[in-house]
Amino acid sequence: MQLHTIFSVKADAHPINYQSNLVLLGSCFAQNMGEKFSYFQFKASINPFGIIFNPISLKKIIERAVNNQMFTPADFFFHNERWQCFELHSELCHHQAEELLNELNLILKQFKTDLQNASHIVITLGTAWVYRHLTSQQIVANCHKVPQTAFHKELLSVEQIKQSLSEITELVRNLNPKVRFVFTISPVRHLKDGFVQNQQSKAHLISALHEFLATDANSSYFPAYEIMMDELRDYRFYADDLLHPNALAIEYIWQKWTVSHINSDCYATMNEVDSIRKAIAHKPFHPNSEGHQRFLSQLQIRIQNLQSQFDFISF
């Protein structure tokens, strides 16, 4: 793809490699990058509590894990025939409260372990607009299609966002002092808030994040938002909803990420993983032929060679 390159993203001094343990948290873009890491067989935990868009809710769930604040039935409510939790994405629900409780507390324990072992935590901030539940006066991660009259919508200030980022990094570093943070701003525009309101939101996130980064030498920034807005400023790089980056845009941003945040020693392994995945996906015309059986045998040898180097890789 031939594009005029605006951003030459600075290489991270502590690049990711195949021994790294990654945790990716935040909005849809965290999910996009997480899928890329999973495809190339890096060790990654991706949004264990679902997509979370705002920094206050991210801080709350991290605080739960670090401080062993287990979920209780009081954290749930029944709506649309499902037990749900305002702190989490709507995909985490169940028709039995006890089942949901057990599931969430298992995830929470694993999440704490992931934070303890993480070499890099990648956080993507989606929006500064939040909804405060009027009854509990708590900011929610998701409204779960509860009527809007139950909430008050508000815009987080730059100072509130900055404070959340400071608390997030402090909480995790008390658990894992050596962890590296990489922050991004989601390139997805939240136009349900309105065009002007979306710009307000992104402006608050960007201002707060850069003010925070100026005081934190062990955190870095990847300009996913700027790449999407300024390099890929054409609707051919958007999905059908004209809001989310499409596969072409995600691949372009991933290539930028690869150069800036992944150790070049990993490239050969990534190419081999990609090649093996494509070979596995290949559908032969004659599956029982001698030639195809020979192909499968050679493929198995390649997989075993890769697994002898990295025992966590699995196809």
Side-chain angles (χ1 to χ4, degrees):
M1 177 170 33
Q2 297 297 316
L3 292 174
H4 175 63
T5 300
I6 299 172
F7 295 100
S8 178
V9 184
K10 182 180 178 182
D12 197 293
H14 300 270
I16 293 163
N17 57 51
Y18 270 99
Q19 299 307 322
S20 300
N21 291 299
L22 312 174
V23 175
L24 294 96
L25 303 169
S27 76
C28 303
F29 184 71
Q31 207 75 18
N32 295 147
M33 291 295 101
E35 288 168 3
K36 287 290 188 182
F37 278 116
S38 293
Y39 178 87
F40 288 105
Q41 299 275 8
F42 286 88
K43 294 179 287 185
S45 168
I46 307 158
N47 275 338
F49 292 102
I51 293 168
I52 296 178
F53 298 96
N54 76 78
I56 298 287
S57 294
L58 277 171
K59 189 266 291 186
K60 188 180 295 184
I61 199 63
I62 290 171
E63 188 173 42
R64 259 196 188 276
V66 172
N67 295 332
N68 298 312
Q69 296 171 354
M70 295 294 109
F71 288 97
T72 70
D75 296 311
F76 305 154
F77 67 98
F78 195 72
H79 182 67
N80 285 339
E81 303 180 27
R82 290 288 187 274
W83 289 97
Q84 304 182 68
C85 177
F86 279 129
E87 295 181 33
L88 314 174
H89 192 270
S90 55
E91 67 186 18
L92 291 159
C93 63
H94 204 281
H95 64 278
Q96 294 287 342
E98 186 177 351
E99 293 292 329
L100 181 61
L101 182 65
N102 293 336
E103 178 186 353
L104 292 183
N105 283 332
L106 282 174
I107 295 173
L108 193 67
K109 291 174 183 177
Q110 182 59 51
F111 182 41
K112 180 174 183 178
T113 299
D114 292 340
L115 293 176
Q116 285 176 311
N117 296 330
S119 59
H120 298 76
I121 296 177
V122 182
I123 293 180
T124 302
L125 304 177
T127 183
W129 286 104
V130 296
Y131 290 85
R132 189 179 296 276
H133 188 234
L134 295 176
T135 302
S136 66
Q137 284 299 300
Q138 295 296 309
I139 289 173
V140 303
N142 196 293
C143 294
H144 301 291
K145 297 184 179 179
V146 172
Q148 293 298 294
T149 53
F151 305 93
H152 171 69
K153 183 178 179 180
E154 56 192 74
L155 182 67
L156 296 176
S157 69
V158 170
E159 189 56 40
Q160 283 176 302
I161 298 167
K162 184 179 172 183
Q163 180 64 28
S164 294
L165 300 178
S166 178
E167 290 175 359
I168 286 170
T169 53
E170 183 178 359
L171 279 165
V172 178
R173 284 173 180 153
N174 285 339
L175 195 67
N176 179 358
K178 295 182 179 180
V179 69
R180 300 283 302 182
F181 282 89
V182 183
F183 289 95
T184 69
I185 303 292
S186 171
V188 179
R189 292 172 295 167
H190 291 245
L191 293 190
K192 287 184 179 180
D193 295 320
F195 283 89
V196 173
Q197 291 81 357
N198 173 72
Q199 293 297 85
Q200 283 182 292
S201 167
K202 298 296 187 186
H204 280 215
L205 293 175
I206 292 167
S207 295
L209 182 48
H210 284 287
E211 284 186 22
F212 167 74
L213 290 171
T215 67
D216 192 312
N218 291 319
S219 296
S220 61
Y221 181 68
F222 177 77
Y225 175 79
E226 292 81 356
I227 292 169
M228 191 71 201
M229 294 298 109
D230 294 314
E231 285 197 45
L232 307 181
R233 56 181 186 274
D234 187 306
Y235 278 114
R236 65 194 165 110
F237 297 111
Y238 285 83
D240 290 343
D241 64 2
L242 303 182
L243 297 176
H244 291 77
N246 62 15
L248 187 63
I250 291 168
E251 178 62 25
Y252 184 83
I253 296 171
W254 170 254
Q255 291 302 325
K256 292 273 192 176
W257 175 278
T258 299
V259 171
S260 62
H261 282 75
I262 297 180
N263 194 313
S264 59
D265 292 345
C266 296
Y267 296 169
T269 302
M270 292 170 69
N271 288 337
E272 179 67 354
V273 169
D274 182 45
S275 177
I276 290 172
R277 283 197 180 277
K278 289 174 179 175
I280 291 172
H282 173 68
K283 294 183 179 179
F285 287 112
H286 306 289
N288 296 321
S289 67
E290 183 179 333
H292 183 64
Q293 295 306 309
R294 192 163 51 247
F295 166 81
L296 292 178
S297 177
Q298 292 169 350
L299 181 59
Q300 188 59 38
I301 291 171
R302 292 171 62 192
I303 292 173
Q304 289 171 352
N305 287 339
L306 204 54
Q307 290 174 334
S308 69
Q309 301 175 63
F310 308 103
D311 59 5
F312 54 86
I313 286 182
S314 176
F315 292 95

